[in-house]
Amino acid sequence: MKKIDVIEFEKEVLPQILEFFDKTLNDDGKIIDKFTGEVLRDPFTNEELNKDNFAGILPGSSLFISKNLASLAEFITEREKNNKE
Amino acid sequence: MTDLLKLLIDEEVIKIADGIIKIISEKLRKKFNEIKKKLEKKKLSKPLLVSEFAEEYYKLKNISRAEKYNLIKKYIDSKYWSIILLGMRAREAYLAGDIDGSGKIKKDASMRYGRDAVILINLIIQGYFDEIVDTTILQKEKGKTNSDIVVWLNDKIEKYIKFFPFAFWVSILDSSIKIKEELIRRCITNGLTNVNIHTIGKENIEKIEEVIIELSKDKHFPKFNYSKDYESEEYNAVTFKIEIK
């Protein structure tokens, strides 16, 4: 089997993906916690996450990130540093 | 059931092609409820990314793993490597003519690390980082110790980011007044005798030339010579070298 780096999902199934993590979209298209109603924010940039700027979830602490490449760059750097890949 | 990845494979909701897993939307829609019932809360072992963004992951990773950088990567503080990666990706986009893509990366970096990161990225776009890589490799070949190289390398990068004394970058957002101030600060306040100004684009080049002409007539500014070197005529990438007499 070839090495798998990323699980990709199509934008259309975002609600189902979020559901899996107990998150959902509110009427404004923002991503919220299903139980607290709190709007999720990118932990690196503090941006509110919505259906358009949401990039995905990073492993570890399940970080929900926006489409900011800096978050990906840090993740790759960290992984390489820890020789996890 | 081991983890999300394994489970999804078991459920045949995904297919593997060229090392990339694609969740097939239609199948996922149909089977998601069934999967969800079986899933326990497990931490992800791989990034879970929307397809349109996953491509960027591979591009960054490919750059990070390029053989040329293997030698020096270990000498660079990891806090800088992320910015350098972004810079190399921005350079790749820029050289491919994707100016918007390059600009987006700078915006992302600025949001995350502040304007200093953009300064470094602009230099990397200009090819400065490759110059640092080549010099580092040369030092290694000449038998410098690893600790010497670490000090030299981090010092060089730190200077670019934080102090940036001998060179600066002019972007479309910089005014003529700002350029003039930058030169006065370096050449009068700090007493430097050599300063480089980097820029890309006809408009920026003209802006700098106007400032140089103005300063050459300014009796309060020291007398100087200057040269204008095209690093890339195709992209109008220029370095002005100011040398105080």
Side-chain angles (χ1 to χ4, degrees):
Chain A
M1 185 190 292
K2 288 185 179 177
K3 187 170 172 56
I4 297 156
D5 288 334
V6 173
I7 303 170
E8 294 183 31
F9 65 94
E10 302 298 335
K11 205 174 176 181
E12 291 74 19
V13 296
L14 175 62
Q16 289 93 326
I17 292 288
L18 292 176
E19 180 75 16
F20 178 69
F21 292 91
D22 294 327
K23 307 290 185 284
T24 189
L25 293 171
N26 69 10
D27 293 342
D28 299 329
K30 291 179 180 175
I31 298 175
I32 59 170
D33 186 279
K34 216 165 78 174
F35 301 114
T36 66
E38 193 178 347
V39 177
L40 266 66
R41 288 178 179 273
D42 181 303
F44 299 108
T45 63
N46 207 31
E47 286 171 281
E48 284 190 344
L49 296 174
N50 59 49
K51 60 182 171 57
D52 296 318
N53 73 1
F54 177 65
I57 305 165
L58 297 180
S61 307
S62 294
L63 300 173
F64 287 63
I65 58 166
S66 66
K67 290 175 182 166
N68 186 310
L69 284 179
S71 307
L72 279 188
E74 285 185 32
F75 173 73
I76 290 168
T77 302
E78 197 60 28
R79 276 234 154 167
E80 288 186 348
K81 195 172 98 179
N82 296 331
N83 293 319
K84 284 182 180 171
E85 289 197 309
Chain B
M1 182 166 61
T2 53
D3 59 18
L4 173 65
L5 186 65
K6 175 84 166 47
L7 182 74
L8 289 175
I9 291 170
D10 288 344
E11 291 295 328
E12 296 178 349
V13 181
I14 54 176
K15 72 173 184 182
I16 300 167
D18 300 327
I20 299 171
I21 288 186
K22 282 251 184 196
I23 296 177
I24 306 303
S25 314
E26 291 306 315
K27 286 185 179 177
L28 185 58
R29 282 193 190 94
K30 288 175 186 172
K31 291 198 174 186
F32 200 86
N33 287 335
E34 183 187 341
I35 295 168
K36 196 186 164 199
K37 285 178 191 168
K38 295 180 181 177
L39 276 172
E40 295 172 353
K41 294 291 177 200
K42 297 286 180 183
K43 284 184 177 177
L44 288 167
S45 57
K46 307 280 177 184
L48 177 64
L49 300 174
V50 65
S51 288
E52 64 188 52
F53 197 63
E55 190 185 346
E56 288 299 338
Y57 175 88
Y58 288 104
K59 284 179 180 171
L60 281 172
K61 194 173 161 187
N62 286 341
I63 291 168
S64 189
R65 291 194 164 182
E67 196 180 342
K68 182 175 182 181
Y69 306 127
N70 282 344
L71 177 66
I72 72 148
K73 201 158 57 176
K74 60 188 173 193
Y75 301 128
I76 294 180
D77 190 319
S78 61
K79 73 182 175 187
Y80 295 137
W81 187 249
S82 302
I83 305 173
I84 289 167
L85 261 187
L86 292 173
M88 296 304 287
R89 175 70 193 100
R91 177 174 162 82
E92 190 179 75
Y94 181 81
L95 293 177
D98 181 10
I99 307 301
D100 289 345
S102 177
K104 203 263 180 196
I105 294 166
K106 286 189 215 173
K107 193 179 158 196
D108 284 355
S110 179
M111 188 181 283
R112 179 77 181 99
Y113 307 108
R115 186 165 161 70
D116 287 342
V118 179
I119 293 170
L120 181 63
I121 287 174
N122 282 330
L123 281 175
I124 292 170
I125 289 174
Q126 284 278 25
Y128 258 50
F129 183 64
D130 281 327
E131 195 178 289
I132 291 173
V133 172
D134 294 342
T135 313
T136 306
I137 291 170
L138 202 63
Q139 289 195 38
K140 183 83 177 166
E141 287 170 356
K142 283 182 177 174
K144 292 266 186 185
T145 64
N146 285 358
S147 59
D148 284 344
I149 292 175
V150 170
V151 170
W152 177 84
L153 199 55
N154 278 316
D155 178 61
K156 199 162 179 65
I157 293 170
E158 189 102 19
K159 273 179 183 164
Y160 283 143
I161 295 173
K162 289 189 175 173
F163 304 108
F164 220 59
F166 303 109
F168 66 97
W169 167 267
V170 170
S171 82
I172 199 76
L173 297 174
D174 294 320
S175 65
S176 298
I177 293 170
K178 168 94 186 300
I179 300 168
K180 196 174 170 182
E181 283 173 355
E182 294 282 358
L183 279 170
I184 288 171
R185 185 160 66 85
R186 285 171 174 79
C187 299
I188 297 180
T189 311
N190 296 339
L192 297 179
T193 54
N194 290 282
V195 175
N196 291 347
I197 312 171
H198 308 278
T199 197
I200 292 177
K202 191 167 173 282
E203 196 178 323
N204 287 330
I205 293 169
E206 287 172 359
K207 204 159 53 180
I208 294 168
E209 283 176 331
E210 283 171 18
V211 171
I212 286 175
I213 290 168
E214 195 183 328
L215 284 175
S216 69
K217 295 173 184 171
D218 187 337
K219 60 181 180 183
H220 299 296
F221 196 84
K223 297 290 174 199
F224 62 92
N225 293 322
Y226 80 96
S227 61
K228 177 183 169 188
D229 301 327
Y230 275 87
E231 290 167 20
S232 163
E233 291 202 23
E234 187 182 356
Y235 296 104
N236 263 330
V238 167
T239 297
F240 287 89
K241 295 183 176 176
I242 310 283
E243 189 181 345
I244 303 294
K245 289 180 183 173

